[in-house]
Structures are given as structure tokens and as C-alpha cells.
Amino acid sequence: MIPNFTFGIITDGKNPQQVDASIKKILLDRIDFGIKTKIELDIEIIVVGEYTPGYQMPPQVRIIPFDATVKPMWITRKKNIIAQEAKNDIIVFMHDYVHIEPGFFQGWFDFNQDFDVAVNRILTFEGYRHSDWVVD
């Protein structure tokens, strides 16, 4: 079975260029993966928060506005909205200041997919590991 992916990007509206870049990287890696493997993945990208795209959004992208005046920095609510709205098997939660690297999809297919929760390696802009798994 080929898993399908929902990417949920939470944003406060302060980094629209980063959100644009994250969306482009997701779509580009999907295309690259499809060319290499002949597998066409069904993906969706849900952006929750204040976000005005810098370019025309493809049909895989949905933007869900969020009223941050109710409770500022209500990140958990945004993630819950993504979980409720997701239509696919795997949900990738992302903040607006992170993005995927080339080979993301290939990495998931190379990994044994028998899991309930997984966390990708997280790198800082300087290339150091950071917050792969954080529990309060």
C-alpha cells in the first residue's frame, strides 16, 4: 500500500515567504520522487493561520484562516485543526520556519512504515541536530 501524506503547516503570518518556500519544496520533492520511482503520491498541504500566498496555489493546498485574537500562540488548536481536516494516512506537522529537504519522500519509503508516531531528523540552518523529539 502506498501511503499518502498530509502536510500541516502552522503559521502566525509573520513568515509568508517561508511558507511559500515550504510548499514549493514539498511539491518539488513529490515530483522528483515520482520521476525516480514512477509512484504518484496523493498529498495535500493544509496551512492554518494568517497566510497570504506569494503565488498561485495548486489544488493540493488548502488555507484555513485562524483567529489568533481568541488566544495568541494557540499552536495546539492549529495542530488539532490539521488533524481533523487531514484526509491522508500520514500527517506531517510543520511550523512555518521549517521545511523538508530533498529526498524526504524517498526516506519515508526506505524506512519500515510500521509505526504510529515518527519524527524526522531536524537540523538547524547551521546543520546541527535540534529537537528531534521533545516532550514536556
Side-chain angles (χ1 to χ4, degrees):
M1 179 176 100
I2 298 172
N4 297 306
F5 294 80
T6 295
F7 290 84
I9 303 173
I10 62 170
T11 184
D12 60 7
K14 295 178 183 173
N15 296 309
Q17 299 84 2
Q18 288 281 66
V19 177
D20 290 347
S22 290
I23 292 169
K24 287 179 183 177
K25 287 178 184 235
I26 293 165
L27 296 172
L28 181 61
D29 196 57
R30 175 183 176 253
I31 291 168
D32 289 347
F33 178 78
I35 290 170
K36 292 175 186 169
T37 64
K38 306 296 185 232
I39 297 172
E40 186 170 337
L41 298 174
D42 179 19
I43 68 165
E44 71 174 335
I45 302 169
I46 301 171
V47 180
V48 177
E50 296 304 314
Y51 170 64
T52 302
Y55 58 96
Q56 180 66 36
M57 287 291 113
Q60 298 98 332
V61 179
R62 277 194 295 151
I63 301 167
I64 300 174
F66 184 82
D67 182 3
T69 62
V70 174
K71 183 177 179 184
M73 302 295 293
W74 201 3
I75 295 170
T76 54
R77 179 67 186 127
K78 291 177 183 179
K79 290 179 183 178
N80 284 332
I81 290 169
I82 292 165
Q84 291 166 348
E85 294 289 325
K87 69 174 186 170
N88 290 324
D89 306 329
I90 297 173
I91 304 173
V92 179
F93 293 97
M94 301 172 60
H95 290 263
D96 59 2
Y97 51 83
V98 299
H99 57 82
I100 67 168
E101 291 291 321
F104 174 87
F105 290 110
Q106 187 62 56
W108 278 98
F109 278 84
D110 290 346
F111 187 75
N112 178 353
Q113 297 178 28
D114 184 23
F115 58 85
D116 292 320
V117 175
V119 176
N120 285 60
R121 178 177 53 169
I122 299 172
L123 301 175
T124 65
F125 289 116
E126 297 80 21
Y128 298 108
R129 296 284 294 265
H130 178 58
S131 302
D132 289 341
W133 190 255
V134 180
V135 179
D136 286 339

